[in-house]
Amino acid sequence: MSSETTSQSPVPAPSGGNVRKPRVAVVFGGRSSEHGISVVTAGAVLNAIDRTKYDVLPIGITSDGRWMLTADEPERMAIADRKVPTVEQVAENSEGGVILPVDPANREVVYTEPGTVPKALGEVDVVFPMLHGPYGEDGTLQGLLELSGTPYVGSGVLASAVGQDKEYMKRVFTSFGLPVGPYLVIRPREWEADRADARQKIAEFAGEHGWPLFIKPARAGSSFGITKVDSFDGLDEAIEEARRHDPKFLVEALLRGREIECGVLEFEDGPRASLPAEIPPVTDHEFYDFEAKYIDSASGIVPAPLTPEQTAEVQRLAVAAFDAASCEGLVRADFFLTEDGEFVINEINTMPGFTPISMYPRMWQESGVSYPELVDRLVQAALRRSTGLR
């Protein structure tokens, strides 16, 4: 796939008449359990972004929600000794803080330290939010950026919220006729008010669909909090693990088949799908969990060994899911290819991982879009879009 000419970025020209480079704030970390993976993802993006084309401002959000200036040193933001990094490890100053504007007429970022005069860091033209999970990927940060009138990479408030909440994601897909697997939702009030009744619902679900079942937090990613249970013996422990990440949880039936993923990227003429990938069965893990994805580097097969007809179908469904949830910029869509040859959508990720081993950039690499070009296309798409209703 060849590179296309993008439209001019809406960046103001200084008094000398020379157009300055767009300034990209790469925001990462955050309060979710995916904090460390967000740091790793941001490091990969910082390493790939074209510094001759963009000025870059790295901003980290600590696990307790503080916004901080961080070192622009991607090599310090990688997994080391099977441990993920944190914002605190790359922060320039543990006491200083960053304040983003909330006034659409002012995009000036301000840095403050206790006992000192606040310092203006200049305007930001676009935000690249490399946040995963709640408090970043779920529409919260997107709402803040909409209030400030600042363009940003990726989906808007609604699509981000839908893409984070597995219950409403499935409801949206079902309403658009997309195939989803059997699932049950247990909300916080149900579990806290009558656990026996909630267990009975799960028992009836298991009676209909069989064991094993997957217990999942409704609004978490990177496979955090997911447990495969083979009987009632491990059910309560699995529920508590899911609720450690989200008080609302899902119960899903096992779908026997192949795991297929497909990337969607926004081009000038609309969204397009990448070549799909297959996640092979993992031998050292119960399923494709966090350890398999990020620590043990379980490798996917790109492109997936599918027939041309199957490839076309999963690409069609991926773009349909992107459109159903009103997504923008990018999406990774995850499917099961069942034993009867049908694709069932598992979920979408509106800000999928960009780590060096992540499937989304690998799929686009095989589709003819290099990692640096992928980053550039996402920034340019954000600069083309207006904020507000669209």
Side-chain angles (χ1 to χ4, degrees):
M1 190 177 296
S2 61
S3 175
E4 301 176 21
T5 303
T6 55
S7 60
Q8 290 292 320
S9 305
V11 178
S15 57
N18 298 319
V19 177
R20 66 173 175 84
K21 291 187 290 186
R23 196 162 196 226
V24 182
V26 178
V27 180
F28 59 95
R31 294 164 54 191
S32 83
S33 52
E34 298 177 81
H35 176 102
I37 290 304
S38 175
V39 178
V40 176
T41 297
V45 170
L46 288 170
N47 194 50
I49 196 166
D50 187 349
R51 304 308 179 100
T52 67
K53 190 171 182 178
Y54 303 107
D55 286 326
V56 179
L57 179 66
I59 299 174
I61 303 176
T62 65
S63 55
D64 60 1
R66 291 174 295 137
W67 293 54
M68 312 182 79
L69 281 182
T70 63
D72 189 2
E73 300 175 7
E75 65 277 4
R76 294 173 56 195
M77 302 166 70
I79 294 174
D81 298 325
R82 300 177 68 86
K83 295 180 180 178
V84 292
T86 66
V87 166
E88 287 84 351
Q89 292 170 355
V90 295
E92 293 279 20
N93 186 313
S94 61
E95 296 184 352
V98 174
I99 301 174
L100 288 185
V102 292
D103 180 356
N106 174 25
R107 292 183 184 172
E108 189 101 324
V109 175
V110 175
Y111 177 73
T112 64
E113 286 185 33
T116 64
V117 177
K119 180 169 56 177
L121 299 179
E123 293 188 349
V124 165
D125 299 296
V126 62
V127 171
F128 204 137
M130 304 309 306
L131 295 148
H132 303 307
Y135 314 112
E137 190 183 350
D138 59 350
T140 50
L141 178 62
Q142 290 74 16
L144 174 64
L145 296 172
E146 291 287 350
L147 284 173
S148 69
T150 305
Y152 55 92
V153 170
S155 291
V157 175
L158 174 64
S160 297
V162 168
Q164 187 63 42
D165 191 310
K166 294 178 176 62
E167 175 193 358
Y168 288 98
M169 181 196 309
K170 293 175 186 293
R171 290 184 183 276
V172 167
F173 291 157
T174 300
S175 72
F176 277 82
L178 297 174
V180 302
Y183 70 98
L184 172 70
V185 179
I186 304 294
R187 293 186 173 84
R189 189 182 305 167
E190 292 180 80
W191 180 250
E192 292 158 10
D194 192 339
R195 295 189 179 191
D197 184 63
R199 290 191 191 96
Q200 180 59 34
K201 289 181 180 179
I202 297 172
E204 292 171 0
F205 184 83
E208 182 178 358
H209 301 288
W211 299 92
L213 301 175
F214 287 90
I215 310 300
K216 297 182 176 182
R219 293 161 292 193
S222 295
S223 298
F224 279 114
I226 299 177
T227 305
K228 180 183 177 183
V229 292
D230 296 308
S231 69
F232 274 107
D233 291 342
L235 183 61
D236 280 5
E237 184 179 352
I239 290 171
E240 289 310 309
E241 172 60 17
R243 282 173 51 81
R244 196 166 64 84
H245 298 270
D246 187 344
K248 181 170 73 169
F249 64 92
L250 271 69
V251 182
E252 292 184 353
L254 173 68
L255 292 176
R256 301 188 185 278
R258 300 160 61 186
E259 292 190 50
I260 307 294
E261 297 184 348
C262 191
V264 180
L265 177 64
E266 181 181 341
F267 284 75
E268 288 81 356
D269 60 352
R272 302 182 197 172
S274 70
L275 289 171
E278 179 169 4
I279 306 301
V282 290
T283 57
D284 297 331
H285 303 267
E286 278 288 313
F287 56 96
Y288 194 47
D289 61 6
F290 175 82
E291 290 273 331
K293 286 181 180 179
Y294 298 110
I295 304 299
D296 293 338
S297 305
S299 58
I301 303 168
V302 190
L306 301 171
T307 67
E309 293 76 17
Q310 288 173 327
T311 295
E313 176 64 4
V314 76
Q315 290 175 322
R316 181 190 72 80
L317 289 170
V319 172
F322 183 96
D323 286 336
S326 299
C327 295
E328 295 169 298
L330 72 164
V331 150
R332 192 193 74 231
D334 301 344
F335 297 87
F336 292 104
L337 177 55
T338 63
E339 293 175 340
D340 61 4
E342 299 297 321
F343 283 104
V344 175
I345 188 164
N346 182 35
E347 64 180 37
I348 58 171
N349 280 266
T350 57
M351 187 51 69
F354 266 76
T355 67
I357 63 169
S358 294
M359 296 310 302
Y360 185 84
R362 285 186 59 196
M363 288 187 287
W364 278 109
Q365 178 75 41
E366 289 296 321
S367 303
V369 180
S370 68
Y371 197 123
E373 182 187 352
L374 181 60
V375 171
D376 181 65
R377 283 193 169 278
L378 290 169
V379 173
Q380 289 295 324
L383 288 167
R384 286 195 303 271
R385 285 196 302 269
S386 63
T387 53
L389 298 179
R390 52 191 183 274

